[in-house]
Amino acid sequence: AEDGIRDVERSRGLGDVYKRQPAAEPAAAPAAAPLTWRGRAAYTAAYAYVCVNVGALLTNQNESLVALETFVVISREVLAPSEDEKLEKCLDVLARGLPLSTTLRELVVRTDGVAPRLLELSRSAHTVKARHHAAKALDTTCALPAARRALIDIGLHEGMVALILDPAALRFVRKATASALAQLAAGAARAAEAGDAQARADLDRLAAAGAIRALQASLDDPACARQRTRGALLRMCGALHAGTAE
């Protein structure tokens, strides 16, 4: 260059400058202090609390929808005139799900033909497991307070009495059916004691159908006797006697 002055190299921008800088070492993160046993316990408890409450929230929000979707599939198999391999599985799912869902029990009670079909399957399903599942499902359904009037109105208690007194029926089925009938009787007795006239009429219908004899027959068999059945029988007889005295 003229005058001995060297040409200055044209800058290529800040990006070029940064590229020529030595790479900076990343700062090391400070080491976390080890958790004490109390810290671990508190962390575990907090995590469990959050999981349980979130799970309960999701379950409460979706319970009715899940129950309805489940019932649509199950009821199709239960109400089918013919039996296939799917029926036993559907009855198993129903028997397991009913104690967990009030909505599912209400659907069994309100849907025409389902409860009578469960009673029929308890007696005559092709497999022993299917009979067990059907009887268990009916027993759980009868625990619903609304089931008493609905099932007595359609005369289901008469079929229950016949099944309990049938020596050819499976012992487990007779035991579960007696438990179901006991729940209907206990519910009617409680309501009658409170002055419910319709419940008093339900008690009369149960007695006329032979419910007292059926419950006593179940108690006479040591393998079928249950405290629930004994309590329901005593309460039913007491309510009937009180109504007669009045």
Side-chain angles (χ1 to χ4, degrees), residues 50-203:
V50 171
C51 289
V52 168
N53 282 276
V54 170
L57 176 64
L58 294 177
T59 300
N60 289 335
Q61 288 182 338
N62 297 322
E63 189 265 341
S64 296
L65 180 59
V66 172
L68 180 59
E69 292 175 345
T70 303
F71 184 75
V72 168
V73 176
I74 291 175
S75 62
R76 186 182 304 119
E77 293 295 328
V78 170
L79 293 173
S82 59
E83 298 182 28
D84 56 24
E85 59 183 9
K86 294 181 182 178
L87 177 64
E88 184 179 312
K89 295 180 180 179
C90 286
L91 289 172
D92 184 20
V93 171
L94 183 62
R96 292 174 184 273
L98 284 169
L100 306 176
S101 173
T102 301
T103 302
L104 199 55
R105 280 177 275 175
E106 291 175 345
L107 288 169
V108 171
V109 172
R110 294 176 181 176
T111 305
D112 291 342
V114 173
R117 178 62 171 161
L118 288 176
L119 182 62
E120 178 186 349
L121 291 171
S122 299
R123 179 193 293 273
S124 60
H126 291 170
T127 66
V128 171
K129 286 186 177 180
R131 296 183 191 184
H132 282 200
H133 296 326
K136 184 178 179 181
L138 187 59
D139 182 19
T140 307
T141 299
C142 288
L144 188 71
R148 172 182 56 85
R149 186 157 298 172
L151 299 184
I152 292 177
D153 281 347
I154 63 174
L156 197 68
H157 60 290
E158 298 174 359
M160 291 181 178
V161 169
L163 180 54
I164 296 168
L165 296 175
D166 183 1
L170 296 175
R171 178 168 287 173
F172 175 85
V173 169
R174 287 188 281 119
K175 180 179 179 179
T177 306
S179 176
L181 183 63
Q183 294 187 93
L184 297 183
R190 281 193 297 268
E193 290 166 358
D196 187 335
Q198 180 60 49
R200 171 65 196 192
D202 290 341
L203 276 179

Side-chain angles (χ1 to χ4, degrees), residues 11-21:
S11 172
R12 287 176 288 177
L14 289 176
D16 186 62
V17 174
Y18 290 139
K19 288 177 183 177
R20 295 196 296 270
Q21 299 299 320

